[in-house]
Amino acid sequence: MTAQDHDLGASGATGQGATGQGGTGQGGTGQGGTGQGGTGEPAPGPVPRGRSDDRAAAPMAEVDDGVEDALALVGRRSATSSRRREPSAPGRDAPHGQRRGTPWDEARAVASRAGRAGVLRTHRDPLAASLGRVLATPLTAFVDLPSFDTSAMDGWAVAGPGPWTVVSGDSGILAGHGEAGALSDGTAVRIATGARVPPGATAVIRTEHARTDDSGHLYAQRRVLHGQDIRPRGQECRSGDQLLPDGTLVTPAVLGLAAAAGYDELLTVLRPTVEVLVLGDELLTEGLPYDGLIRDALGPMIAPWLRALGADVTGTRRIGDDADALQRAVSESAADLVITTGGTAAGPVDHVHPVLRKAGAELLVDGVAVRPGHPMLLARLAPGRHLVGLPGNPLAAVSGLLTLAEPLLRRRSGQATPAPYRASLREEVHGHPQDTRLVPVVHRGDKVVPLHYRGPAMLRGIAAAHGLAVVPPGGGRPGDELEILDLPWPPSSEGCFT
């Protein structure tokens, strides 16, 4: 079959400082540390030259958030955080006249709709080339499975009650051979696993459950049931049965099933392309921080995270605090989705908003009522092309990935939306007065435990986490059931500390 492209549908944004920078009273950036040794106590680190942090984006609310993080790290809680508070109405004015961001669940829905509006490009490829994509059409069986009655074990095919007279030599019936002659009652023949069961056979007796004597007779050492150890034709499926729906991720097991069902090629949805733009003059790609320069924590993390979400990352580019360079990078990118890190606030070198305005982009989400990561944004650059602006603090950027990039990419790659699941808290977790919080957690039995290192600039908690709990305004108490966002890889070991 000739490979070909197909279209399955038709198609249809911006706060935070530099990538990896310390923000919100979180000390050193991009290294998951706190600037206070091993205590996890945040220290008010300097903001890199000319760059605004979360405090600049939300003067009052973010300072409160930083205080709450500090209290959580040292095992204390404020009196006000112990009381549940009513969430503010969507869009309600925040302190100092700032308008609150889009509610978290609404922002996720907008991102999902944006992904659905793009054209799903499909391609028919050999099985191996389809790994990691999703099925564009249901997987339907071309043949019965198994396609003939098959022996499930090495042993003896027998007809009728025993004892049986052995009617064949030592080799018997082997897998891959044509149909053998019919067995008459009282006879038996050796048979291999996977071989075609001869007509007339009523059961297969495993080798270890039978014996022969010198006269060539076979005796069963256990009761023989009619049809035992025979896989009947069509036991798994009949030709024309739907085996898997469209939207199923093509895993190695799916490739095996497709091959068994008669496929040489699969029609799958091509993975959306993504380009990552890491912004900031202050970032180092190797070595230790010095003279106000810091290590870039997001460059090494974002691309593999996006690949795990189902994207093909065309490249990661580092761009300084240069509006013209950013404008060129965004306008010249051919990717379906552009990801930027940092520069989404309103500081003197936060260029993402002005660049989007100059490009005529449509802001779909401009700030989200979530901590960390509220200055994230989603913009439509052109029909089927979008930009997600992530905050610069590492855990805040992860929040942006899960809030905006994941729903968009899931739809854009044709993946089915997983049903949300909930788990009970084992320990209390504080919440923001008005915003949703995303808190790294680990599973302990049937409950989840929040991890301590969860400040916006910290990666220590998320590196050990099994997922993120969606904490409503006001927080959660032991026993409360919270929605859990899975990470796109297997859970880490149980040896981490909280």
Side-chain angles (χ1 to χ4, degrees), residues 21 33 50 56 60 66 88-89 130 170 180-181 233 270 285 313 323 338 393 456 480:
Q21 96 187 31
M60 294 276 302
S88 62
S130 303
D170 290 339
R233 176 175 180 166
L270 292 176
T285 59
V313 179
V338 176
N393 274 325
D480 286 354

Side-chain angles (χ1 to χ4, degrees), residues 104 108 369-372 395 398-399 402-403 420-432 435-443 447-451 454 461-462 464-473 475-477 480-487:
W104 178 79
R108 299 245 307 165
V370 66
R371 304 301 170 111
L395 187 57
V398 169
S399 175
L402 295 176
T403 301
Y421 80 93
R422 305 176 73 83
S424 297
L425 278 173
R426 196 179 77 178
E427 300 174 6
E428 189 167 10
V429 59
H430 71 279
H432 189 272
D435 295 349
T436 299
R437 291 199 72 198
L438 301 183
V439 175
V441 294
V442 292
H443 291 279
K447 298 186 182 299
V448 293
V449 179
L451 295 171
R454 55 179 182 255
I462 193 65
H466 297 159
L468 285 94
V470 181
V471 180
R477 296 190 179 101
D480 286 354
E481 285 200 344
L482 302 182
E483 181 179 352
I484 306 298
L485 301 178
D486 277 332
L487 301 177

Side-chain angles (χ1 to χ4, degrees), residues 100-328:
R100 303 215 61 79
T102 303
W104 178 79
D105 52 354
E106 182 180 324
R108 299 245 307 165
V110 170
S112 181
R113 289 195 297 271
R116 186 171 53 200
V119 175
L120 293 184
R121 297 185 299 273
T122 67
H123 201 268
R124 192 175 299 280
D125 285 299
L127 297 184
S130 303
L131 184 66
R133 302 180 193 163
V134 302
L135 296 175
T137 56
L139 189 73
T140 302
F142 290 155
V143 294
D144 297 342
L145 287 180
S147 54
F148 46 79
D149 291 350
T150 305
S151 176
M153 293 288 171
D154 292 333
W156 300 88
V158 300
W164 301 270
T165 300
V166 177
V167 297
S168 179
D170 290 339
S171 60
I173 304 173
L174 302 178
H177 288 224
E179 186 174 14
L183 286 181
S184 57
D185 279 357
T187 60
V189 63
R190 279 192 179 277
I191 194 166
T193 301
R196 184 192 294 260
V197 174
T202 55
V204 170
I205 304 174
R206 303 180 187 190
T207 299
E208 61 269 28
H209 296 164
R211 65 177 179 84
T212 58
D213 61 16
D214 293 339
S215 64
H217 287 88
L218 178 75
Y219 298 87
Q221 296 179 311
R222 298 188 180 187
R223 182 184 177 190
V224 178
L225 301 177
H226 186 83
Q228 75 178 27
D229 286 328
I230 293 176
R231 297 184 181 124
R233 176 175 180 166
Q235 181 185 49
E236 185 170 2
C237 67
R238 289 291 185 181
S239 178
D241 286 352
Q242 180 175 310
L243 305 177
L244 294 169
D246 58 339
T248 299
L249 179 67
V250 179
T251 64
V254 171
L255 293 180
L257 177 61
Y263 284 80
D264 298 321
E265 300 174 323
L266 289 175
L267 183 67
T268 56
V269 180
L270 292 176
R271 290 159 65 99
T273 57
V274 183
E275 185 172 15
V276 180
L277 306 179
V278 180
L279 312 183
D281 285 342
E282 72 278 25
L283 303 178
L284 295 170
T285 59
E286 60 183 14
L288 299 177
Y290 67 92
D291 291 342
L293 301 177
I294 54 176
R295 280 297 298 271
D296 168 27
L298 296 185
M301 179 177 73
I302 298 297
W305 198 305
L306 292 168
R307 292 187 186 101
L309 294 178
D312 278 337
V313 179
T314 61
T316 297
R317 299 170 57 186
R318 290 172 172 82
I319 299 175
D321 295 322
D322 184 328
D324 292 336
L326 177 59
Q327 179 78 43
R328 287 192 299 272

